[in-house]
Amino acid sequence: QKMISFILMVNKQGQTRLSSYYEWMDMAERVALESEIIRKCLSRSELQCSFLEYRGFKVIYRRYASLFFIVGTKADIDVRKKLGSSSSNSSNGNSSSGMRKMGDNQSPENYENELGLLEFIHTLVETMDRWAGSICELDIMYQLEHVHFLLDEMVMNGYVTETNKSNVLRLIDLMDRESKKNEGMFR
């Protein structure tokens, strides 16, 4: 099971500036989910918690200036339901098989730390700030390839792989220097 299901960067008007999905989802379902989650996040006040559960996803978001950074992961399965069903099976003397059957019908639990993902969002924004000066919507729009590359260096296949800003930016700097070398050859 993936740690992160999707990452969205959205402006205050609700327009998606970047979306990256790490689980397959039908395009119509993706568009509907995205618009509903964006609407939910934009309608919440700054005094409300930055975590919410919606349609089987745990959504963690944070607003920086005019941009919302939204991370979605699978929601937790209610462990109490499992415990309640296993205690009824234990009276029959087959508690282990009851737990096995329950586990076969449901996907594994997701115990992702919301504060850890909130800290990841902050690290992502800090990395983007160091790269672009002060990250803004225009940086994302006009340098989308670089932003995707930066995000791909930090998250791979739904798992956070790199949080060291210097390591991520070193690779982007190398890519920029190599592209400038190639531009010089054709002049």
Side-chain angles (χ1 to χ4, degrees), residues 89-159:
N89 287 336
S90 64
S91 62
N92 298 338
N94 57 0
S95 62
S96 63
S97 63
M99 284 298 279
R100 199 174 312 116
K101 287 179 186 172
M102 190 64 153
D104 291 342
N105 293 336
Q106 294 180 346
S107 61
E109 291 87 5
N110 178 11
Y111 296 112
E112 293 307 326
N113 185 341
E114 291 94 345
L115 292 175
L117 289 173
L118 197 62
E119 185 62 29
F120 166 72
I121 292 172
H122 186 69
T123 302
L124 174 63
V125 172
E126 283 182 334
T127 306
M128 294 173 89
D129 277 345
R130 277 185 46 188
W131 164 68
S134 179
I135 193 70
C136 67
E137 186 177 350
L138 292 176
D139 293 322
I140 294 171
M141 289 174 57
Y142 293 119
Q143 298 182 351
L144 189 62
E145 184 178 287
H146 280 83
V147 177
H148 271 288
F149 185 78
L150 189 145
L151 186 60
D152 290 344
E153 285 300 313
M154 296 181 78
V155 179
M156 189 174 297
N157 200 26
Y159 294 97

Side-chain angles (χ1 to χ4, degrees), residues 43-135:
S43 66
R44 294 169 66 92
S45 76
E46 290 184 21
L47 300 175
Q48 288 180 295
C49 180
S50 294
F51 317 132
L52 60 105
E53 286 195 17
Y54 186 72
R55 287 183 56 191
F57 290 98
K58 192 186 305 181
V59 179
I60 297 96
Y61 70 95
R62 192 156 183 183
R63 179 179 169 201
Y64 289 91
S66 65
L67 287 171
F68 283 83
F69 292 79
I70 303 169
V71 174
T73 185
K74 288 291 184 188
D76 294 337
I77 295 173
D78 193 357
V79 178
R80 288 172 295 186
K81 288 180 185 175
K82 280 184 141 182
L83 294 176
S85 66
S86 68
S87 63
S88 65
N89 287 336
S90 64
S91 62
N92 298 338
N94 57 0
S95 62
S96 63
S97 63
M99 284 298 279
R100 199 174 312 116
K101 287 179 186 172
M102 190 64 153
D104 291 342
N105 293 336
Q106 294 180 346
S107 61
E109 291 87 5
N110 178 11
Y111 296 112
E112 293 307 326
N113 185 341
E114 291 94 345
L115 292 175
L117 289 173
L118 197 62
E119 185 62 29
F120 166 72
I121 292 172
H122 186 69
T123 302
L124 174 63
V125 172
E126 283 182 334
T127 306
M128 294 173 89
D129 277 345
R130 277 185 46 188
W131 164 68
S134 179
I135 193 70

